[in-house]
Amino acid sequence: MTNSSSSKKHGQDQPELSGPTPKSHRTKMGKSEDTDKKNLGKKLKDVEISVPIVYGNIAFWLGKKASEYQSHKWTVYVRGASNEDLGAIVKRAVFQLHSSFNNPTRVVESPPFELSEAGWGEFEIVITLHFHSDVCDKPLNLYHHLKLYPEDENSSMSTKKPVVVELYDEIVFPDPSEAFLSRVQNHPAVNVPRLPPGVTLPPPIPVEDASKRRKGDTKDHPLSQWFTNFSEADELLQLAAARQQVYTTQYRQSHL
């Protein structure tokens, strides 16, 4: 979902924003099973790690190049809420397209997690996120309705002004393992809570030299000028920090 007041502005070529105003949403993952987790360290009880994400699609009308069965080119994706690299959390993404497509099950093994196609019809796309073994052993299904046409039927289609539909979500991982938290505690895509008193982590894993690492963020993505700027993402991060602060205060009081 999109909001015209929070979208980036680039001259007169504003994207067609479809859907109602975005609302805060949190998806809490189930706790991972303890089987085969010997190397992950102990679980950190009453601690939550959150990862803000955005998923949706951008569609361009092909204009004079449009045909009966290929009127639009479009890209569907999952990205960090502020375009961070999600590769430290997401291992792969599976996009389930309409059965009329060749090979409708598309697997993307590395970031950026996106898929581009061409067609004429709108349909629901199921995006399944599979996480690294120390993050969560349960996949997450996201449901996105591909939008190609402007919400306003009176709007004229343009080859320069795309239709943009994005939804904001915050994936919450309760009781994370020490290994997971230690690995991502300095990662920009992850909201790491303040730990309860008495809980210490191993030293953070050194981050690989950025010049040697494949760039998986979407900050310089060719479509980034059309991405929605979700200002409420920062507000949600502040709320998450406040929730953790309340927990820490309660924890201290209960141990006085």
Side-chain angles (χ1 to χ4, degrees):
M1 292 175 284
T2 51
N3 186 335
S4 58
S5 64
S6 62
S7 63
K8 291 184 177 181
K9 292 178 168 50
H10 295 267
Q12 296 180 350
D13 290 331
Q14 294 300 300
E16 289 290 347
L17 303 172
S18 297
T21 302
K23 296 186 181 299
S24 306
H25 188 246
R26 301 180 85 233
T27 299
K28 192 166 186 176
M29 300 299 298
K31 298 178 182 179
S32 299
E33 301 294 335
D34 291 331
T35 56
D36 300 326
K37 302 291 181 179
K38 296 179 180 179
N39 297 325
L40 302 183
K42 68 179 181 180
K43 297 286 187 179
L44 299 173
K45 299 297 183 182
D46 301 317
V47 172
E48 292 182 344
I49 291 178
S50 62
V51 181
I53 66 167
V54 171
Y55 62 98
N57 78 265
I58 294 177
F60 284 89
W61 179 51
L62 295 176
K64 294 181 179 180
K65 297 180 180 180
S67 64
E68 182 180 1
Y69 296 108
Q70 294 213 341
S71 60
H72 291 76
K73 60 179 180 180
W74 50 264
T75 300
V76 61
Y77 49 84
V78 180
R79 63 179 178 87
S82 297
N83 295 310
E84 304 90 349
D85 185 348
L86 294 177
I89 299 94
V90 179
K91 183 177 182 180
R92 66 179 178 274
V94 180
F95 296 85
Q96 186 64 47
L97 306 182
H98 190 271
S99 59
S100 60
F101 282 84
N102 292 327
N103 183 26
T105 302
R106 310 286 180 88
V107 181
V108 180
E109 298 282 0
S110 60
F113 298 105
E114 63 181 29
L115 171 68
S116 295
E117 262 291 357
W120 60 271
E122 299 179 343
F123 57 93
E124 184 177 70
I125 299 176
V126 181
I127 309 169
T128 303
L129 301 182
H130 296 266
F131 304 102
H132 291 289
S133 59
D134 63 346
V135 177
C136 185
D137 55 12
K138 299 176 176 64
L140 172 64
N141 288 330
L142 303 172
Y143 299 88
H144 174 67
H145 187 81
L146 177 70
K147 286 290 292 182
L148 306 181
Y149 303 95
E151 196 76 17
D152 184 358
E153 296 180 355
N154 296 322
S155 297
S156 59
M157 292 191 296
S158 168
T159 58
K160 296 182 179 181
K161 186 169 61 175
V163 170
V164 180
V165 182
E166 293 192 318
L167 298 101
Y168 176 97
D169 200 347
E170 183 183 357
I171 310 174
V172 180
F173 301 98
D175 297 354
S177 67
E178 283 187 341
F180 174 31
L181 186 52
S182 177
R183 185 169 63 83
V184 301
Q185 59 182 299
N186 292 330
H187 198 285
V190 180
N191 180 27
V192 177
R194 184 175 300 176
L195 295 178
V199 176
T200 57
L201 288 176
I205 298 175
V207 179
E208 186 180 359
D209 184 355
S211 63
K212 299 179 181 179
R213 186 177 66 244
R214 179 184 181 278
K215 192 171 183 179
D217 64 49
T218 52
K219 298 181 187 297
D220 298 321
H221 194 282
L223 297 176
S224 62
Q225 63 174 314
W226 307 113
F227 290 163
T228 308
N229 178 18
F230 284 89
S231 59
E232 66 180 314
D234 294 332
E235 297 175 10
L236 286 176
L237 292 179
Q238 294 173 6
L239 287 173
R243 284 195 298 271
Q244 190 63 34
Q245 179 64 45
V246 170
Y247 164 75
T248 302
T249 301
Q250 292 174 340
Y251 183 95
R252 288 173 176 170
Q253 290 176 345
S254 65
H255 286 73
L256 291 178

